Amino acid sequence: RSFGDVTRRPDGRFGFVGVELVVDVETDAGREAEAHGAALDAEASCLVAASLDTPVRVPASVTAAAAAA
C-alpha cells in the first residue's frame, strides 16, 4: 500500500511533503531481520525521495513463512 501527503510546501508551491510505502514481507524463518534490513535500505536509498526532496517512509511488517509439512 502507498500513501502520499500533499500540501503547500515551504516554497509556497503545492507538492508532496511525504510518501509512505507500507510493505508486508513473508520470508524464511530466521531471516526476518535481513528482510527488515532490506526495507530500511530501500528507505535510505530511495530514488523518489532523492528526486522529489521528500521523505519516503517504508514501514515493513515482516513475518516468517509457515514451515512446510
Side-chain angles (χ1 to χ4, degrees):
R1 300 173 310 274
S2 60
F3 307 91
D5 298 320
V6 176
T7 190
R8 189 175 302 273
R9 301 181 315 193
D11 64 7
R13 299 182 324 176
F14 282 94
F16 284 99
V17 294
V19 175
E20 185 167 311
L21 176 62
V22 181
V23 208
D24 296 320
V25 179
E26 186 176 291
T27 188
D28 296 333
R31 303 200 67 183
E32 297 90 349
E34 186 178 343
H36 191 265
L40 292 175
D41 288 345
E43 182 176 283
S45 60
C46 180
L47 179 61
V48 172
S51 298
L52 296 178
D53 193 26
T54 300
V56 173
R57 297 172 301 277
V58 184
S61 170
V62 178
T63 57

